[in-house]
Amino acid sequence: MKGNAALTFWFKTQFGTEHFPLHTGELSPERITHLLTAEEREKLESEWEQLSTQQEVLRIWQEGKLHHVDASYFDDFIISKAKKLDRGEFMKSARLIGEVIGHLEQYIGDGYVEYRVRHLIINGVFDIEGVPKAMRFYSVKLR
């Protein structure tokens, strides 16, 4: 990265508050382009070309590198958070998904976590109440 590029990640939002993004998806292209040299950008593009040809669904960042993991990698974490929230009744799936995302050290989108919750429903880990057309329309409970 160029100079003190890490320091330039901090920026003020339109509301005047300071913000440090969790991932580059929160940055505009204009903010990203000045952070990398041409060589660094080419290296990252090459790495992406290689990654995009692989069949794995999920990758995590660990020990400074990307690692391919099984699609079920976060299932135990999802179940542990459901146990923490369990009050013996159905909970909104959005509540569970938010709890999972809020405590992960990896950036995983809510869509992927919801996909795994639905998979756990199909496999009998959770009971469901409602219609699973979107996370706000259904609730889950551990069996």
Side-chain angles (χ1 to χ4, degrees), residues 42-109:
E42 287 174 14
K43 181 181 180 229
L44 291 172
E45 287 174 358
S46 175
E47 287 175 11
W48 172 247
E49 292 285 329
Q50 182 184 9
L51 283 171
S52 67
T53 64
Q54 297 172 357
Q55 298 299 313
E56 288 83 357
V57 175
L58 185 61
R59 300 171 192 96
I60 61 167
W61 185 258
Q62 196 172 49
E63 300 172 2
K65 295 199 289 190
L66 276 179
H67 296 272
H68 300 280
V69 294
D70 190 72
S72 64
Y73 183 83
F74 292 110
D75 288 2
D76 288 341
F77 190 76
I78 294 168
I79 293 166
S80 74
K81 290 303 172 190
K83 287 178 180 175
K84 179 183 172 200
L85 295 172
D86 188 15
R87 303 286 183 259
E89 54 193 39
F90 283 94
M91 70 185 101
K92 286 290 187 185
S93 63
R95 172 70 177 101
L96 173 59
I97 292 164
E99 184 76 12
V100 169
I101 291 170
H103 288 92
L104 278 177
E105 293 182 9
Q106 303 281 327
Y107 176 76
I108 302 293

